[in-house]
Amino acid sequence: LGEDFRVIEEGLGGRTTVWEDPVENRMSGREYLLPCLGSHWPLDLMVLMLGTNDLKARFGLEAFDIAAGAENLVCMAKDFFRKVGKDTPILVLSPIEVAEEIETLPFCDILGGSSAVRRSRDFPRYFRQMAERNGCEFLDASDYAKPCSLDGLHLDAESHQRLGEAVAAKIAEICSDHKK
């Protein structure tokens, strides 16, 4: 993005959108979002990419439910932005699809095997609808990145690079449009 941008990365492995994980405590984005926004305020843009961990079998969620969890976070952020008096754009990324080979890989049981593949394929549809409904920008991460062959879930270096370039281009576009 260049010197004109300061990126604050707040990723955390295992974080869910809004669901409390009975095994991995304190991983809900709902509990973390508002303190995070407050501590980093002011912001010119918020990027949200959560949902993969919501695929865990113990939650029993479909892609529609996971997008609804992300929508809850978008609404919380928009409410925060209204209260502080700044119309801050939000870029929503739908998570990447889980690899078809997941049944032979380490996260198979945690994600519920082939059902995670099916459910993750629905991410772009529901996340796009949610973004449009809430006036957010949207990017389908699966258009740029695929899961690595080691676990069928996480990005390899090449996919990180491609997705990073796509997100950077989208951010530059959003910031350019927002200044007009």
Side-chain angles (χ1 to χ4, degrees):
L1 286 168
E3 293 178 9
D4 293 339
F5 291 85
R6 179 172 170 245
V7 177
I8 303 166
E9 190 272 331
E10 287 287 347
L12 176 65
R15 183 174 285 149
T16 63
T17 55
V18 297
W19 316 104
E20 288 298 333
D21 192 322
V23 177
E24 298 177 70
N25 295 324
R26 291 179 262 157
M27 299 303 275
S28 169
R30 178 184 3 218
E31 300 305 316
Y32 186 74
L33 181 61
L34 292 179
C36 179
L37 292 175
S39 68
H40 294 302
W41 189 254
L43 300 171
D44 294 317
L45 172 70
M46 181 181 112
V47 180
L48 178 70
M49 183 178 174
L50 284 174
T52 301
N53 291 298
D54 296 21
L55 289 170
K56 292 176 183 174
R58 62 179 156 255
F59 295 125
L61 301 170
E62 293 294 327
F64 175 84
D65 302 307
I66 296 168
E71 184 167 26
N72 185 286
L73 298 177
V74 164
C75 291
M76 287 173 61
K78 287 178 125 345
D79 186 54
F80 175 87
F81 298 147
R82 269 191 297 279
K83 287 178 181 172
V84 295
K86 184 175 180 196
D87 181 26
T88 303
I90 299 173
L91 170 59
V92 173
L93 278 70
S94 62
I96 65 167
E97 294 178 12
V98 172
E100 290 202 29
E101 302 79 26
I102 195 70
E103 289 189 12
T104 64
L105 298 170
F107 290 102
C108 176
D109 293 336
I110 293 170
L111 294 179
S114 63
S115 83
V117 177
R118 175 190 54 77
R119 292 178 290 138
S120 71
R121 285 184 183 149
D122 289 336
F123 278 159
R125 181 173 121 207
Y126 291 117
F127 275 74
R128 179 184 306 277
Q129 290 172 359
M130 179 273 287
E132 289 173 356
R133 192 168 44 248
N134 288 281
C136 298
E137 298 290 332
F138 175 78
L139 191 75
D140 178 1
S142 286
D143 286 344
Y144 306 95
K146 304 295 177 224
C148 71
S149 60
L150 295 175
D151 66 19
L153 185 63
H154 297 95
L155 304 178
D156 60 18
E158 186 178 313
S159 282
H160 270 286
Q161 181 70 33
R162 280 194 313 270
L163 182 57
E165 289 169 358
V167 171
K170 186 70 173 177
I171 288 172
E173 174 190 318
I174 293 167
C175 290
S176 173
D177 290 347
H178 201 67
K179 288 180 181 178
K180 292 178 183 177

